[in-house]
Amino acid sequence: MAKNNKSGPRKPGKLSVYLYIPNIIGYTRVFMNCYAFAICFSNKWLFCALYFISFVCDGVDGWCARKFNQVSTFGAVLDMVTDRISTACLLVILSQVYRPGMVFLSLLALDIASHWLQMYSTFLLGKVSHKDVKDSTNWLFKAYYGNRMFMAYCCVACEVLYITLFLLAKNDAEKLMDVLKASITEGSPISVLVGLSLFGWAIKQLVNVIQMKTAADICVLHDINKKVRP
């Protein structure tokens, strides 16, 4: 009798996962951001163009991952780390050219803390994605992660606001409120851009606060449940 040589689907090797199309896009984003920040003060417009292209590629690699069935945990982590580090670097730069700089450093701390806690609480609950918030009781939190277009608007608005502020800074000691007031009241396309961006930015910061509190509650409940177990 002939032996049955049928076997299950072959597991991909480590190298093949590292070379997934969305992951290659992720590496490109890293190098693009490194170059962009290296020339940020010598060529502001090129920096902003490269930074925004890298940001747009965040959506492109997600589309590629779904299109080519190349969704991976490594890719998701690479995406989040790249996003957080690039935004953090831009916020640090803004903290150096605007006063009070602590505003931007506080936003940096909120962004990292909320996303780190959200990722950790996701693993505690055994979920695959940190965007799975269907069981949340907060309507804004669910709307943000449940509607891809709404989330995209808030994220784009946030990054566009930071890039615009960087371009508007003329020296190393700009007063943030003065620049915002001037850009909103001057009645130019910049006014509309800043106004629309501010709204999306505010929603994203509110979601970050909700996310941080929700994730912290999950971590605390996990600790309580561990203690009550026999």
Side-chain angles (χ1 to χ4, degrees):
M1 277 180 72
K3 288 185 179 179
N4 188 354
N5 290 324
K6 286 183 181 178
S7 58
R10 219 169 62 180
K11 279 176 28 176
K14 280 193 295 186
L15 182 60
S16 65
V17 175
Y18 281 121
L19 295 179
Y20 277 174
I21 292 172
N23 293 344
I24 292 174
I25 295 173
Y27 308 144
T28 305
R29 290 182 65 208
V30 171
F31 290 118
M32 198 182 300
N33 278 325
C34 287
Y35 181 71
F37 282 106
I39 53 104
C40 65
F41 289 112
S42 59
N43 194 331
K44 279 189 169 185
W45 284 101
L46 180 57
F47 161 75
C48 292
L50 290 174
Y51 184 91
F52 193 73
I53 290 170
S54 171
F55 174 72
V56 171
C57 285
D58 183 27
V60 174
D61 63 13
W63 180 85
C64 288
R66 294 185 293 273
K67 173 73 174 177
F68 301 109
N69 192 28
Q70 292 183 341
V71 176
S72 65
T73 302
F74 171 74
V77 173
L78 176 64
D79 251 12
M80 177 170 280
V81 170
T82 304
D83 291 342
R84 301 285 66 77
I85 291 177
S86 57
T87 302
C89 289
L90 182 52
L91 287 170
V92 168
I93 289 172
L94 290 173
S95 75
Q96 299 303 302
V97 297
Y98 281 100
R99 298 294 175 268
M102 186 55 69
V103 170
F104 296 102
L105 295 180
S106 299
L107 290 170
L108 188 161
L110 173 62
D111 187 58
I112 291 178
S114 67
H115 283 85
W116 191 89
L117 276 166
Q118 179 68 5
M119 285 291 286
Y120 197 84
S121 65
T122 297
F123 291 134
L124 287 178
L125 294 174
K127 293 181 179 180
V128 175
S129 171
H130 70 282
K131 297 177 183 177
D132 181 3
V133 296
K134 293 189 291 291
D135 53 353
S136 173
T137 57
N138 188 283
W139 68 270
L140 181 59
F141 195 36
K142 290 169 72 173
Y144 179 81
Y145 278 119
N147 188 312
R148 195 178 293 275
M149 291 301 294
F150 180 53
M151 183 172 68
Y153 159 67
C154 293
C155 292
V156 170
C158 195
E159 299 297 335
V160 167
L161 179 63
Y162 294 153
I163 290 173
T164 304
L165 285 174
F166 180 66
L167 288 173
L168 289 173
K170 303 300 182 188
N171 55 60
D172 293 345
E174 295 278 11
K175 290 185 178 178
L176 177 60
M177 292 310 299
D178 290 348
V179 171
L180 284 174
K181 285 177 185 175
S183 60
I184 290 173
T185 57
E186 69 180 10
S188 67
I190 290 291
S191 304
V192 178
L193 184 65
V194 171
L196 290 172
S197 299
L198 269 172
F199 182 69
W201 169 87
I203 293 174
K204 192 172 191 309
Q205 304 319 307
L206 182 56
V207 168
N208 276 343
V209 172
I210 295 169
Q211 178 170 260
M212 185 167 63
K213 176 63 169 63
T214 302
D217 285 346
I218 291 171
C219 292
V220 169
L221 287 172
H222 178 76
D223 289 335
I224 292 171
N225 290 334
K226 277 201 307 185
K227 287 186 180 296
V228 298
R229 284 176 194 157

